[in-house]
């Protein structure tokens, strides 16, 4: 890739770095040659009640079974809190920065211990025990982390649902894992606007009840003091309950493979899947990647801007940093409130050393102009990171030059909800950078590119990204549906984990993620199944058929383009267009807001009735000169109408 500008590791990045390039190469070779030895050593980075004697016991074939450290006993909250108390009880564990810049809080490890124990005791008081599922539908406040850690203390399985999801989406997730307790807040606060979390929860509980899951208890954290509905007997205030319990709670001794959490994510088909992660392997991997990818040193102030409702928040706001005894910053607000300088002001205010965010936020801030960045100091920064979607080279260079003054490494980290932690990434002191490349695999990760038929591609190549062997942080199953797990990830290319991503490997062995090759789109770093948006559309009584595709969007990465066929006799109108947009928002949430809706009398189908999405994608991209072969269509004429009425004319 001689045409790509290489940003070499700078002497300052190497100076105190945990890993230099020679170490990377050696450790990587060791990790793939002898995973038992490598992970046997690194498995000891967490504390064990009973040490493991077995390390890796995994198979990607047949029924697919993944076990790591299986005979050990440990506890996640113990590792994230108790074990740090002696050395860093008075150190800040969580810096909370509120939506309002005058609103902040610091929580020490000692305080975290007391809060988490109390939260665990409140859950216990209301019947939560090992193995129970607890749904957490919360804003970005420390109590959310307390609730998650409290679950792990008791051995309960949490299912955090992003606060931007609608009551319908929340209900589906409550019902899927049969969760009978929900932790929520009266309201959230983002960009100065309240989000009615408790009211949404009330609606969701009614919907879930109709589906067959009865929520017995709702623990409500008071955030804004706003008015909410209340069901006596079912709803309890967290602060009232917390006052009735002790600030001590013994952590359960958990088996390494006991379930830790469920996190729902979108796939190319059907409803969202409950990705299940288990205890020890996940924590070993989350903490190890947090340490080495961000070159984390004791005392660093670390900030990941994700929401805890996504996997990035789980692994890199809560579990990875806290397992390492770090100070993790939790931000309630949005990048452009009260001004476009907010991120950089927060960095200066709290002297942040490591900043980890999404390309979509960078693109939006880049568009707002350099002045908003330049008026801040950002002197404390040492490492920059991105995650969630491919970063375009322009945004990368802007991040590097304007935010980092051409002096800071950027780690472009590729991973997924399913992978639990970062799989492909630069390491700050080791890896020469190329704008837009996630570069090289982390320790123990074996990427492989295959073509559509599964033929392995060697050397520089463009293909589908698979991982050929297990790493400790990977998901273990789809909650309640192991067959779906095997089918989704291990059947396309037998014996390999298929990521769903396309990828190019260059002559230096660097990986460049090119985006999803399945029917998943990535909108502002939020992952969404086109099938979900389609089913939301067809649930409207005027819609007979819908097909949804992504198209390139300057800020969001991908926008949502919907083709909608109306019921016979229904006229299209601007009003109906608006009605459909708000219908999708109601069904899924604002993150699924359609950008374009095209009313289409017919969709391009093969003679066997399959919608040809390739054609729909091309039209959505306004690239219909390259529609390819349309001769297999049942009615080639529909394409002319689609092109004539396209909504995305450049
Ligand atoms: C995409 C988020 C390019 C990818 C952690 C993946 C990326 C999906 C990157 C997972 C990156 C994530 N470069 N693409 N650095 N990171 N992706 O489950 O398509 O929300 O499959 O996990 O995001 O999204 P998820």
């Amino acid at each position: 890739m001689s045409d790509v500008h290489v940003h070499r590791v700078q002497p300052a990045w190497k100076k105190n770095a945990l890993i230099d390039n020679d170490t990377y190469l050696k450790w990587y070779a060791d990790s793939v040659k002898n995973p038992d030895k490598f992970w046997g050593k690194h498995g000891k980075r967490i504390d064990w009640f009973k040490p493991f004697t077995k390390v890796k016991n995994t198979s990607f074939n047949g029924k697919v079974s993944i076990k790591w450290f299986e005979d050990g006993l440990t506890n996640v909250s113990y590792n994230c809190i108790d074990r740090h108390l002696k050395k860093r009880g008075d150190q800040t564990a969580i810096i909370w920065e509120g939506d309002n810049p005058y609103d902040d809080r610091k929580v020490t490890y000692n305080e975290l211990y007391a809060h988490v124990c109390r939260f665990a005791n409140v859950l216990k008081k209301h019947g939560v025990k090992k193995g129970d599922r607890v749904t957490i539908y919360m804003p970005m406040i420390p109590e959310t982390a307390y609730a998650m850690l409290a679950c792990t203390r008791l051995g309960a399985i949490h299912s955090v649902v992003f606060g931007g999801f609608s009551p319908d989406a929340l209900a589906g997730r409550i019902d899927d894992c049969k969760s009978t307790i929900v932790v929520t807040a009266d309201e959230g606060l983002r960009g100065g606007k309240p989000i009615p979390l408790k009211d949404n929860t009330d609606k969701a509980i009614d919907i879930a009840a109709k589906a067959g899951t009865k929520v017995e208890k709702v623990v409500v954290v008071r955030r804004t003091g706003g008015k909410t509905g209340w069901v006596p007997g079912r709803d309890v205030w967290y602060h009232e309950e917390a006052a009735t319990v002790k600030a001590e709670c013994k952590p359960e001794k958990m088996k390494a493979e006991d379930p830790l959490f469920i996190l729902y994510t979108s796939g190319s088909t059907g409803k969202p899947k409950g990705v299940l992660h288990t205890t020890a392997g996940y924590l070993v991997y989350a903490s190890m990647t947090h340490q080495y990818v961000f070159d984390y040193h004791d005392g660093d102030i670390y900030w990941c801007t994700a929401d805890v409702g996504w996997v990035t928040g789980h692994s890199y706001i809560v579990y990875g940093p806290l397992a390492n005894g770090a100070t993790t910053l939790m931000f309630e607000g949005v990048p452009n409130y009260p001004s476009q300088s907010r991120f950089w002001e927060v960095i200066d205010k709290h002297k942040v050393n490591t900043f980890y965010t999404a390309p979509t936020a960078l693109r939006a801030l880049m568009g707002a102009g350099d002045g908003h960045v330049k008026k801040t100091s950002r002197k404390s920064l040492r490492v920059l990171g991105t995650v969630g979607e491919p970063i375009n080279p322009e945004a990368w260079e802007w991040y590097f030059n304007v935010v980092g003054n051409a002096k800071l490494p950027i780690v472009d980290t590729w991973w997924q909800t399913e992978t639990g932690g970062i799989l492909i990434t630069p390491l700050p002191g080791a890896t020469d950078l190329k704008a837009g490349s996630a570069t090289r695999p982390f320790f123990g990760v074996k990427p492989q590119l295959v073509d559509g038929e599964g033929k392995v591609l060697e050397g520089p190549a463009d293909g589908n990204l698979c991982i050929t062997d297990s790493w400790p942080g990977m998901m273990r199953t789809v909650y309640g549906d192991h067959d779906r797990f095997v089918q989704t990830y291990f059947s396309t290319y037998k014996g390999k984990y298929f990521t769903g991503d396309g990828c190019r490997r260059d002559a230096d062995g660097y990986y460049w993620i090119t985006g999803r090759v399945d029917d998943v789109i990535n909108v502002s770093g939020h992952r969404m199944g086109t099938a979900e948006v389609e089913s939301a559309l067809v649930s409207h009584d005027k819609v007979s058929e819908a097909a949804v595709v992504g198209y390139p969007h300057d800020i969001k990465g991908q926008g949502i383009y919907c083709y909608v066929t109306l019921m016979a006799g229904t006229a299209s109108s601007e009003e109906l267009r608006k009605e459909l947009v708000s219908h999708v928002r109601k069904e899924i949430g604002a993150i699924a807001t359609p950008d374009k809706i095209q009313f289409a009398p017919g969709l391009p189908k093969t003679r066997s009735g399959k919608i040809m999405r390739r054609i729909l994608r091309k039209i959505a991209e306004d690239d219909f000169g390259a529609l390819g072969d349309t001769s297999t269509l049942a009615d080639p004429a529909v394409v002319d109408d689609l092109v004539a009425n396209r909504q995305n004319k450049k």
Side-chain angles (χ1 to χ4, degrees):
M1 290 314 300
S2 50
D3 54 328
V4 173
H5 180 175
V6 178
H7 295 269
R8 303 261 169 228
V9 174
Q10 298 180 9
W13 310 351
K14 237 188 299 198
K15 198 160 161 244
N16 292 313
L18 299 170
I19 307 279
D20 61 13
N21 197 44
D22 291 343
T23 314
Y24 167 76
L25 294 172
K26 171 155 192 337
W27 284 29
Y28 183 75
D30 290 348
S31 71
V32 294
K33 234 180 274 151
N34 193 343
D36 274 291
K37 186 165 168 223
F38 183 84
W39 291 111
K41 176 171 167 223
H42 292 285
K44 294 189 188 120
R45 61 180 293 119
I46 66 169
D47 285 6
W48 296 85
F49 299 133
K50 175 176 168 274
F52 57 86
T53 63
K54 290 188 206 158
V55 178
K56 181 174 187 280
N57 179 7
T58 67
S59 163
F60 281 3
N61 287 295
K63 290 196 167 134
V64 181
S65 161
I66 293 140
K67 292 180 184 155
W68 284 89
F69 315 113
E70 61 191 287
D71 60 347
L73 294 177
T74 185
N75 179 284
V76 167
S77 94
Y78 179 89
N79 272 287
C80 290
I81 310 169
D82 307 42
R83 69 162 171 165
H84 304 312
L85 295 180
K86 224 173 167 178
K87 186 170 160 206
R88 47 179 107 245
D90 293 325
Q91 182 203 306
T92 302
I94 299 175
I95 299 175
W96 178 72
E97 168 77 12
D99 185 56
N100 178 329
Y102 296 100
D103 219 357
D104 56 31
R105 239 197 282 173
K106 284 186 180 158
V107 182
T108 65
Y109 273 95
N110 280 329
E111 290 163 347
L112 182 64
Y113 173 84
H115 284 303
V116 169
C117 286
R118 276 193 205 280
F119 216 119
N121 284 329
V122 169
L123 294 177
K124 216 170 177 176
K125 177 174 162 190
H126 292 290
V128 174
K129 19 177 230 322
K130 200 181 211 168
D132 289 353
R133 277 82 54 223
V134 176
T135 298
I136 299 178
Y137 182 63
M138 288 281 275
M140 286 289 287
I141 55 179
E143 286 79 1
T144 310
Y146 306 161
M148 293 163 75
L149 288 160
C151 288
T152 73
R153 205 161 182 88
L154 302 175
I157 307 166
H158 63 66
S159 161
V160 181
V161 179
F162 173 57
F165 276 123
S166 69
D168 282 283
L170 173 60
R173 285 154 173 82
I174 289 173
D175 180 52
D176 184 81
C177 68
K178 306 277 170 258
S179 162
T180 60
I181 179 162
V182 179
V183 176
T184 190
D186 50 2
E187 294 176 316
L189 203 56
R190 272 166 69 83
K193 291 192 212 82
I195 321 255
L197 294 174
K198 172 63 165 62
D199 286 351
N200 286 352
T201 302
D202 290 346
K203 287 184 198 147
I205 288 174
D206 291 343
I207 303 166
K210 285 191 198 113
T213 300
K214 186 165 184 289
V215 171
E216 311 279 353
K217 221 25 68 174
V218 182
V219 178
V220 188
V221 174
R222 181 181 278 166
R223 166 65 189 97
T224 62
K227 252 178 101 77
T228 71
W230 202 261
V231 178
R234 187 197 70 183
D235 301 347
V236 294
W237 281 111
Y238 175 69
H239 61 273
E240 288 177 3
E241 294 299 298
T244 70
V245 297
K246 283 195 310 204
E248 259 172 42
C249 171
K250 235 177 112 195
E252 283 286 325
K253 292 195 167 83
M254 303 301 291
K255 292 194 195 118
E257 287 299 338
D258 278 336
L260 178 63
F261 66 80
I262 300 166
L263 189 52
Y264 286 88
T265 193
S266 300
S268 41
T269 55
K271 54 181 184 140
K273 294 180 283 281
V275 167
L276 185 85
H277 283 285
T278 59
T279 299
Y282 170 81
L283 194 64
V284 166
Y285 198 78
S287 67
M288 183 158 167
T289 45
H290 171 261
Q291 181 181 5
Y292 294 118
V293 172
F294 301 106
D295 194 40
Y296 169 75
H297 287 72
D298 234 20
D300 280 354
I301 311 287
Y302 163 90
W303 180 18
C304 163
T305 69
D307 190 285
V308 281
W310 308 114
V311 75
T312 307
H314 283 58
S315 300
Y316 299 113
I317 294 176
V318 179
Y319 294 120
L322 295 178
N324 290 337
T327 298
T328 181
L329 193 150
M330 201 173 180
F331 176 45
E332 185 183 38
V334 294
N336 57 359
Y337 176 86
S339 83
Q340 302 280 359
S341 297
R342 185 68 191 276
F343 272 178
W344 327 118
E345 283 166 1
V346 172
I347 287 168
D348 286 350
K349 174 176 173 186
H350 296 292
K351 306 277 175 289
V352 169
N353 305 114
T354 311
F355 179 67
Y356 188 33
T357 195
T360 187
L362 295 172
R363 285 191 296 264
L365 294 169
M366 179 169 80
D370 298 1
H372 298 289
V373 187
K374 287 191 170 148
K375 70 184 215 205
T376 61
S377 147
R378 290 157 283 109
K379 256 226 284 293
S380 55
L381 286 175
R382 224 167 41 75
V383 176
L384 303 173
T386 71
V387 58
E389 45 173 333
I391 180 163
N392 47 313
E394 300 74 40
W396 195 101
E397 295 288 354
W398 182 81
Y399 199 22
F400 186 80
N401 290 309
V402 179
V403 177
N405 290 323
K407 286 193 194 132
L408 306 178
I410 298 177
V411 290
D412 172 358
T413 64
W414 173 84
W415 59 297
Q416 310 178 297
T417 306
E418 292 88 338
T419 70
I422 295 162
L423 294 197
I424 301 183
T425 179
L427 301 180
T431 316
D432 291 336
L433 306 172
K434 299 184 193 181
S437 173
T439 76
R440 304 186 293 193
F442 190 73
F443 307 124
V445 174
K446 291 167 83 173
Q448 189 177 68
L449 300 184
V450 299
D451 69 9
E453 277 69 56
K455 192 173 120 268
V456 176
L457 306 171
E458 308 285 354
D462 209 328
N464 297 327
L465 178 63
C466 294
I467 312 289
T468 60
D469 200 359
S470 179
W471 64 100
M474 74 183 298
M475 73 184 287
R476 303 302 198 251
T477 192
V478 170
Y479 185 76
D481 196 349
H482 194 71
D483 286 346
R484 191 171 173 202
F485 174 59
V486 178
Q487 194 56 36
T488 308
Y489 302 103
F490 300 92
S491 71
T492 318
Y493 305 109
K494 279 243 161 336
K496 292 166 195 176
Y497 170 81
F498 176 45
T499 63
D501 277 313
C503 182
R504 184 164 64 81
R505 185 174 46 222
D506 70 18
D508 295 324
Y510 274 37
Y511 291 86
W512 301 71
I513 308 295
T514 50
R516 302 287 302 200
V517 293
D518 53 8
D519 291 319
V520 170
I521 53 178
N522 197 319
V523 182
S524 300
H526 301 321
R527 175 173 162 181
M528 208 170 309
T530 51
E532 282 168 74
V533 185
E534 287 163 6
S535 68
L537 284 165
V538 296
S539 73
H540 189 282
D541 57 9
K542 290 186 181 136
V543 174
S544 96
E545 203 171 22
V548 172
V549 297
Y551 71 95
H553 186 288
D554 284 348
I555 304 284
K556 299 180 180 184
Q558 281 186 298
I560 303 179
Y561 194 114
C562 311
Y563 296 87
V564 171
T565 306
L566 297 172
M567 291 293 186
T570 308
S572 63
S573 66
E574 267 322 296
E575 238 151 62
L576 182 54
R577 203 188 294 271
K578 283 190 196 128
E579 194 177 313
L580 293 180
V581 169
S582 63
H583 181 72
V584 173
R585 290 170 64 103
K586 181 189 145 291
E587 291 283 308
I588 304 175
I591 55 169
T593 307
D595 293 282
K596 310 270 178 192
I597 292 183
Q598 175 170 358
F599 293 112
L603 296 173
K605 290 186 186 161
T606 60
R607 283 179 207 113
S608 59
K610 201 168 170 293
I611 294 176
M612 288 186 79
R613 291 169 172 282
R614 176 175 57 79
I615 293 177
L616 295 177
R617 271 186 221 116
K618 287 285 177 198
I619 295 172
E621 286 167 19
D622 198 18
D623 183 19
F624 50 87
L627 285 184
D629 184 12
T630 55
S631 63
T632 55
L633 288 177
D635 178 10
V638 299
V639 173
D640 298 335
D641 177 85
L642 290 172
V643 168
N645 293 301
R646 68 193 187 278
Q647 299 291 304
N648 213 8
K649 291 191 186 101
K650 278 182 195 140

